[in-house]
Amino acid sequence: MIEFSRSQKEIQKAAREFAVGEFDREAILEMEKRREFPEAQWKKAAELGFIGITFPESFEGGGSGLFDACIVAETFCRKDSSMGSALMSADFGCECFARFANGDLKAGYLSAVARGETLSTAAYIETLQDGPVSTIQTTAVRDGNDWVINGYKRYVVNADKAGCLIVLCAAGSEPVLILIDSEREGVEVRDVGKRLGGNMAPVSDVEFRNVRVPDANLIGGEPGLGLRQLKAVIDERRIRAAAEAVGIARGAFDRALAYVKQREQFGRKLSAFQITRHKIADMAVKIESARLFAYHTAALFDKGRADSTQIAIAKMTASKAAVEVCDEAIQLLGGYGYMTEQDVERFFRDAKTNQITLGTVHSHKDDVAGAVIGPKRRRP
Amino acid sequence: MIEFSRSQKEIQKAAREFAVGEFDREAILEMEKRREFPEAQWKKAAELGFIGITFPESFEGGGSGLFDACIVAETFCRKDSSMGSALMSADFGCECFARFANGDLKAGYLSAVARGETLSTAAYIETLQDGPVSTIQTTAVRDGNDWVINGYKRYVVNADKAGCLIVLCAAGSEPVLILIDSEREGVEVRDVGKRLGGNMAPVSDVEFRNVRVPDANLIGGEPGLGLRQLKAVIDERRIRAAAEAVGIARGAFDRALAYVKQREQFGRKLSAFQITRHKIADMAVKIESARLFAYHTAALFDKGRADSTQIAIAKMTASKAAVEVCDEAIQLLGGYGYMTEQDVERFFRDAKTNQITLGTVHSHKDDVAGAVIGPKRRRP
Amino acid sequence: MNIIQYTEDHHRFRERLKVFLAREVTPYADQWESERMVPREIWRKMGREGFLCPSVPQEYGGLGGDYRYALIVSEEMSHTWITGLAAPLHSDIIVPYIQSFGSEAQKRKYLPGCVSGDIVTAVAMTEPDAGSDLAGMKTTGVADGDDIIINGSKTFISNGVLCDLVIVAATDPAVENKHQSISLYIVDAGTPGFDKGKKLDKMGWHSQDTSELFFNNCRIPASNRLGQPGGGFLMLMEKLQQERLTCALGGVAAAERICEYTLESCRKIEINGKPLIKQQAVQFALVEMSADIKVGRTFMEKLVEDHVEGLNIIVETSMAKYWATDLPNRIADRCLELLGDYGTLESNPIARARRDARVMSIFAGTNEIMKNIAAKFMGM
Amino acid sequence: MNIIQYTEDHHRFRERLKVFLAREVTPYADQWESERMVPREIWRKMGREGFLCPSVPQEYGGLGGDYRYALIVSEEMSHTWITGLAAPLHSDIIVPYIQSFGSEAQKRKYLPGCVSGDIVTAVAMTEPDAGSDLAGMKTTGVADGDDIIINGSKTFISNGVLCDLVIVAATDPAVENKHQSISLYIVDAGTPGFDKGKKLDKMGWHSQDTSELFFNNCRIPASNRLGQPGGGFLMLMEKLQQERLTCALGGVAAAERICEYTLESCRKIEINGKPLIKQQAVQFALVEMSADIKVGRTFMEKLVEDHVEGLNIIVETSMAKYWATDLPNRIADRCLELLGDYGTLESNPIARARRDARVMSIFAGTNEIMKNIAAKFMGM
C-alpha cells in the first residue's frame, strides 16, 4: 500500500541492481557459516553511496532521510537477509555522531564510515539484554584532560572490525556516550561464538580496562545526555530494523511463492491447494502490515514527529511479521525449506535474531504500556 | 500514527459532540435488546449531515471523501458500537446509486436518504454468506417496460425499515442491480430473530414474489454490470467497516484502560501488574495497526487507487483487531466485563459480527490469495 | 485405554440422565433463555430423579458416588445448550462445603433437600470491590452472643434469585490476619436482613439468575457457621481444586458441542453447490479444533482420575481451568468464522454458546489468577 | 494416575540409559555438532549396552520389550541436546519393517546387527520430486530373473552417509495402480550401483548425516524384498502410526527440555538486580508453555498406551504428530524471546534446539499432510 515517489523508486532500483549484481549466494553461505563480515560488498556499497545514506552531504553522506535508508534496507534484505543486515550495520552508532557530536569528531569518523574505510558500532548492553539500561556498570572517570573507561559490554555488533565504538558509560551519576577508537590500549574484544542469526555482522563482548581517551571524545561535549542520545540511536535503528524485517519477510515470501507455483503434489500445483493459498494470503497480509508500519514511521521520523512508542510498535510488528512469514516459508518448502541452500532457513534465523536485537518483545511491551498507562508504581 | 488535517479534526470534533450528546447508554441497552433501529438519533444525525457524507452536495450529501466518512464511523463507534454501526448503515447501498445510477434514480433516493427520510439497503446474499455470489438464483425478467423479480435474499440489513433495496438479480445470464421500493407488491420481509451483534441495524430475509418495477430501476441502465457495481459497493462498505472496527476497538480500549487504572486487587491498581500492562500494550498495538490500515486504505480510495485486495486486507486486519481488543477488554474487566451494563460485552458482540459481515475471514483469504497467486485451477 | 474408570453404575446413570434431559430440559432451553430464568420445578425434577449431588452419601439421600458422576452430568448437560440450570455448580462446588465441613446437624438439615432439589444453593464470595482477592473482602460476620451478625454485599452470585440457601464468606474485623479472619456461614433465604438484588443483565447464561446479595444486620445462629471460626480461607482453598476441575469439565464439554455442531453444519451448508466441509481450509480448521479438544479432554480426564485418587494437583488444575475454559472461547470464535452470517443468528446454538462460554475464563478465579497460582506453586 | 504402565524393567532400563548417555553422549554433543557427524562407534556402544531396538525379540538379540521403551529412549536422549544420534529413527521406525515384514532369513541376517549397532539403518522413501505424495514416486524396482534392478534417487535420507542398510521404496512401472506397485527392498551399503550423495547442509540436526541416495542399475537379489511384491504401500501405511507417534514423543520431550532450560535460566538471569523469573509476564509465559507441554504429554502418553494395546488410532496419531511437533517450535520461539540476545548465542542450547525442532513439523509427513489424513479419516 505504500507508494514510492519517482526518486524513491530510483533508489529502490539502484539498490536492487546492486544486490542482484553483488550478492552471490554461494559466497554468502560460506561467509555466514564462517561469521564473516562482507568486506568486499561493503566497500562497493560505500562507493555507490549505500553506506551513510542519512549522513550530511558535507561528510560524504547521502543527505537523505530515513525513509530512503529504509528502502535500501528493505531491498537489500529482500535479496538476502544476512548480507542486507550486515551492510546496513556498517554505520551503527553514527546516528548519534551526526546528531550530537561536535564538528571535529564528525569530521574524524563520519566521512571514514561513509567511505567504507571503517565500521562504527555502539556498545551499551551489560546485562542480559533489554536495550538501554538504567544501571550502568561501565565507568568513565576524568583524569586530567582524559576520560578513563573501565567496564564490560556485551553483544557489540561488528566489534571485531569496527574502528570506533560509541560506548555508554557512567561518569559519576551522569550517563555519557564516549567515542572509543578500537586501537586504544585496554580495549579487548571477546568472541562469543556463533549466533542463531545475524552472523555476517557478528557480535562480540568488549572489555575496557583503563582505556584512556581525550576529553573531546565525549559525545555532545557535556555529561548527562548519554541515555537520551542512546535512545535517539536506538529509535533510528529500530526503524531501520523494521525495514530490514520487511525485506527479510518479502525475500522469504518471494521464494515460497515461486516454490508453490512450481512444485506439484498429488497431481496439482501446491498453489492450487486452498490451505497453501490461505498461508500465502496470511503472509501477504503480514507483509503489508509490516511495510505500512515501517514506512509510515520512517516518514513521520523524517518529519520529526515519530515518538519512541510508535517506533517500538513498528519494530515489534514488522519483526514479528518477518519471523512468522519466514517460518511459514520453511513449512511451505517442506524438506527443501530445511536445507541451507534454499535460503529460507537462514532468513528465518536472521528474522528471529532481528526480532530480539534492539529490544525484546517484553521490553517493547513494557515501553508501550509505559507510554499508554504511565510508569508502573508498585504500591499506590 | 494517522494524522488528521485541521478540517478532519473538526469533523471528528463534531461527531464526538454529537455522540456525547445523543448516545444515551440506557436507551441504547434497551434498543439493542429489542433490536430497534435508532430512529430519533438517525433523524438528528441526518440533520447534522452525518448521513450521506459522501453523497454529492447536489443531492444534499456532504460531498466528502471516504476518509471523512471513516472519521465519523470511528468516532461514533468508539462512543458506542451498536449505535455507531446502526447510524452508519443508514445509507447502505447508496454508494452504487451515487456512482452508477442515472440522474432520476439519484434524485429520487439520494436526497431522501441524506435527509434521513428513508433508509437504503442492499440485498445480495443467497447462500450461507460469502459476499457476492457467482450463481444468482434471484431472477429479473423483462415484461413490457417492467422488470419482474422473483427470489429470496438473506441477511438484508434494515430490511424491515428501508424504503429502497438495491437487489442483485440475474437477468438471463447477466447480473444486474435493480432498485426495488419496499412498498412494491410481492416484497416480503421475514424476521430472522436476534443476532450475536449488530442488533440496532437488524437483518432480515426478504422474499420477492413477482415484484414488478419499471425498466428505469435498473442501476446503470444496462445489464451485465451488476457484479461489478456490487463489488464497488462492497469495497466501499468494507473500508467503512474497517473504520467502524477501529472505533469499536478504541471504545472497548477506553473502557478497559479506565477500569484497570481505577480497580485495585491485592493492594495494587490492576494497571500496576505487568501482565495487565502487556495486555494494554498488545491492545494498543492492534488498534494502531487497524487504524493505519483503515485510514491508509480510505486515503488511497479517495485518490482512486485502492484495489479490492488492499481493501480486503484492511477489513480483515481491522475487524480481527477489534474482536481481539474487545475480548481482552472483557477479560480485563473480569465479572464486570460480562455484565451488559459495562458495554464491553456488547462491543465484543458487535465486533465479532462486524468481522463476519461483508465477507468472512476465509473468503477474504481466498480473495487475497487469488490476487497474489492468480485464480485457483484444479488440474494444471 | 480408557482413562476414566467408569462402572456399570456410571453408565446406567448416564443413560437415565440422557433420557431425562432430552425430555425435561432440551425442549425448554430457548424458552428459559428468553424468560431469563429456569423454573424452580426443574431443580426438583432433577433432584427427584437422582441427578443432583450424586456424591452426597446415601445416608443423606445421595448416591454416595465419586467425582466421575460430575463428569457425566457436565457432559450430558452440555447437549442441552443451556447453562442456566447450574447443576454442576450446586452439586460439585457448593454442596460439597456442607458435605465436607458441615456438622452432623447441618448435614441432616440441608443435604437431603440439596439432593432432592428442594434446596437450591448459592455461594457468595465475590464482592463489588473484591473479585479474586479474598483479602479485600469487606463483608463482616461478627459474633453477638450465640448469634452472628452479617453485614455487606456480594455480587455476581449464580442462583442468586432462586437460592434457598447461600454459603456466605464473611470476615471478622477483630482478626487482623485476613487468612484467619474469614468464616463461612449458611444463610437461609428469608432470614431477616438478607435481601436478594435484582437479576443482572449479562452477555450469556441468560437463564441463570445471577444477582447481587445484600446483608444488612442479618442475624443468624452461630450454629450456622461451617467448621471452625476463621477456617473459611482454608476451606475455600481445599475446595478450589474441585471447583477448578469442574470448570475444566464444563469447558471441554462446551467446546465439544460447539465443534460437533459446526462440523455437522459444514456438512450441510453449501456454497455454490459445494458443501463447506469440502473446502480444505474448513477441514483444517475443524481438524485443528478437534485436535485441541481431544488433547484438552485427555488432560482433563487424567486430572479427574487424579482427583478421585485424592492427589494434590493444584498446579495442574489451575492450568486445566485456564486451558479448558479458553478452549470453548477460541473454538466458538473460529466456528463463527466458518459459519459466517448464519452462525451469528441466535436461532442456531453457536451464537449463544459463544456468549455463554465467555464467562468461563472469568468465573471461579480469572484465568490470570490461575496462572498466578500455577507460577507460585511452580516456585517462581 | 500414571498413564504409562512401566514395569521395574522399564525403570532399570531408564536408569542405565541415563548413566550411559551422561557418560558417552552428552559430553561430546558439541563436538559432533561441529563435526557434522556422530562417530560410528557411538552406535556400537549404544547397541552393545542394549539401548538400540529394545522391541526386537530376544531370539534376535533384542530385549523383546514393548513400545514404552521408545518413550524412555526418546525422553532420555532429549537431555543430551543432540538429535543427530537418531536412535529412535533406527529402533522405532526403520528396524520394525524388518521385524514385522522380514522373512526369517532376513531377520536372522540383519536384526542382530541392528540391535548391536553394527548395522546402522536408513529408510528411503522421499524423492526430489515426491515428498509426501507416494504416488509420485519415480524410483523403479524391476525384476530381472531372480534379481531386482533399482533405479532412481532419494533425498533427505537420515543416516544417509553412515547407513549399512537402507530400506528402499521403489515402484514397478508395469503395475498401473500406484498403491499396488510399490515394494520395499533391503539394500546393503556397498552394493554396486548404490551411491551415497554428499551430506546436505541444513538448518539443524548438524550431527545427523542427511544425504541423497542414488540407485543406478543397482542389482539386488529378489530375496531382499520385504514381504510380497507390491505390498510396500500397505506396509508403509501400517508402520506410519508408530512413526508418527515416535515423532510426537520427540516433540514433547524436546519442548520439555527447552522449557526447563529456559525456566532455570530465568531464575539465574537478572535485569537490574531482579531475576527474570520475578517478572509477571515471564511467569505467565512459562506457565502457559508448561501447561501446553503437560497437556501435550498427557495426550501423547495415552496414545502410547493405546498403541501398545494395538488400537487403531490413526486420527489421533496424525493429530499428535502435528500438535506435538508444532509444540517445541512454538515454545522455542517464545523462550528465545524471554532470553533475548543471550538466547540467540549458540553456546547455550536454546538456539540449537530451535534449529533442530524446526524439521519436526516437516519430516515423517508434513503437518499439513497430518491434517489432511485426519480430515479424511474423520469423514470430511
Side-chain angles (χ1 to χ4, degrees), chain C residues 1 288 292 306 323 371 379, chain D residues 1 288 292 306 323 371:
Chain C
M1 71 182 301
E288 286 166 9
D292 281 0
D306 287 346
W323 208 98
K371 292 174 194 175
Chain D
M1 72 182 299
E288 287 165 9
D292 281 0
D306 287 347
W323 208 97
K371 292 173 195 176

Side-chain angles (χ1 to χ4, degrees), chain C residues 66-82:
Chain C
D66 55 33
Y67 185 69
R68 297 180 186 102
Y69 285 94
L71 178 55
I72 296 172
V73 174
S74 191
E75 285 170 359
E76 293 307 321
M77 293 207 61
S78 74
H79 287 279
T80 67
W81 296 104
I82 196 155

Side-chain angles (χ1 to χ4, degrees), chain D residues 285-337:
Chain D
L286 290 167
V287 166
E288 287 165 9
M289 291 190 283
S290 302
D292 281 0
I293 291 170
K294 277 176 193 282
V295 168
R297 161 167 283 281
T298 308
F299 188 60
M300 175 272 279
E301 288 191 355
K302 178 190 184 308
L303 297 186
V304 167
E305 286 296 314
D306 287 347
H307 182 66
V308 170
E309 271 183 45
L311 302 182
N312 178 341
I313 43 172
I314 188 162
V315 169
E316 287 76 10
T317 44
S318 304
M319 287 175 169
K321 194 276 173 177
Y322 100 71
W323 208 97
T325 59
D326 279 349
L327 185 66
N329 282 296
R330 196 166 73 228
I331 282 177
D333 267 346
R334 208 162 171 195
C335 287
L336 280 170
E337 281 156 30

Side-chain angles (χ1 to χ4, degrees), chain B residues 49-368:
Chain B
F50 293 121
I51 310 294
I53 303 167
T54 57
F55 295 3
E57 291 179 37
S58 49
F59 296 100
E60 305 186 44
S64 296
L66 192 59
F67 195 101
D68 295 356
C70 285
I71 294 174
V72 175
E74 180 193 355
T75 309
F76 280 6
C77 288
R78 183 178 182 179
K79 179 70 185 154
D80 193 276
S81 58
S82 311
M83 176 67 89
S85 309
L87 293 179
M88 290 298 98
S89 74
D91 58 2
F92 184 34
C94 279
E95 297 85 350
C96 127
F97 268 137
R99 291 172 61 182
F100 304 112
N102 61 32
D104 285 350
L105 279 186
K106 279 191 200 177
Y109 284 98
L110 277 185
S111 304
V113 170
R115 281 200 302 268
E117 288 169 10
T118 190
L119 297 171
S120 63
T121 192
Y124 56 96
I125 305 175
E126 295 185 349
T127 62
L128 170 68
Q129 31 89 350
D130 255 356
V133 292
S134 50
T135 49
I136 306 160
Q137 303 283 335
T138 301
T139 56
V141 177
R142 284 301 293 267
D143 183 40
N145 285 328
D146 292 343
W147 290 100
V148 179
I149 292 107
N150 278 287
Y152 195 92
K153 296 289 183 186
R154 311 187 72 173
Y155 314 115
V156 185
V157 177
N158 296 326
D160 55 337
K161 278 219 151 46
C164 62
L165 300 93
I166 312 291
V167 184
L168 179 67
C169 310
S173 62
E174 302 283 10
V176 293
L177 287 187
I178 290 178
L179 182 142
I180 301 182
D181 320 77
S182 55
E183 312 90 54
R184 296 270 173 194
E185 211 183 310
V187 176
E188 199 172 315
V189 176
R190 293 170 189 272
D191 189 14
V192 296
K194 208 174 177 191
R195 280 209 298 168
L196 181 65
N199 284 307
M200 284 173 66
V203 302
S204 312
D205 288 355
V206 183
E207 186 167 2
F208 303 95
R209 266 192 295 197
N210 293 320
V211 178
R212 186 173 285 270
V213 298
D215 188 35
N217 279 26
L218 176 70
I219 308 284
E222 49 173 319
L225 304 172
L227 284 175
R228 225 187 61 200
Q229 293 166 344
L230 181 61
K231 195 166 163 49
V233 173
I234 300 282
D235 273 355
E236 192 169 337
R237 275 294 146 177
R238 283 179 172 175
I239 297 175
R240 287 165 177 253
E244 290 174 25
V246 171
I248 297 172
R250 292 189 77 184
F253 181 78
D254 293 341
R255 287 154 173 86
L257 185 60
Y259 184 83
V260 301
K261 282 176 143 176
Q262 149 266 313
R263 174 83 169 175
E264 283 189 26
Q265 285 275 281
F266 306 105
R268 289 203 266 170
K269 299 284 187 206
L270 278 186
S271 62
F273 290 89
Q274 191 185 25
I275 209 68
T276 307
R277 299 174 72 81
H278 281 201
K279 283 173 189 276
I280 291 286
D282 285 337
M283 293 159 87
V285 169
K286 285 170 187 170
I287 288 172
E288 274 301 341
S289 172
R291 285 199 97 210
L292 208 44
F293 269 110
Y295 284 104
H296 199 84
T297 310
L300 282 180
F301 181 91
D302 286 338
K303 288 185 209 160
R305 290 207 300 271
D307 68 36
S308 295
T309 309
Q310 294 171 331
I311 292 170
I313 290 177
K315 197 256 175 180
M316 279 169 83
T317 306
S319 62
K320 181 163 181 278
V323 169
E324 292 172 0
V325 168
C326 293
D327 190 55
E328 196 65 90
I330 295 175
Q331 190 68 20
L332 284 171
L333 267 76
Y336 290 99
Y338 201 63
M339 299 298 132
T340 304
E341 79 173 334
Q342 293 293 329
D343 294 339
V344 290
E345 68 90 6
R346 188 165 47 84
F347 275 62
F348 173 84
R349 293 189 283 110
D350 288 336
K352 192 74 202 169
T353 307
N354 168 292
Q355 184 186 33
I356 287 165
T357 306
L358 295 168
T360 61
V361 177
H362 278 215
S363 66
H364 287 313
K365 288 186 188 177
D366 284 342
D367 292 348
V368 173

Side-chain angles (χ1 to χ4, degrees), chain A residues 116-139:
Chain A
E117 288 169 11
T118 189
L119 297 172
S120 62
T121 191
Y124 58 95
I125 304 175
E126 295 185 350
T127 62
L128 171 68
Q129 33 88 348
D130 255 357
V133 292
S134 50
T135 49
I136 307 160
Q137 303 283 334
T138 300
T139 57

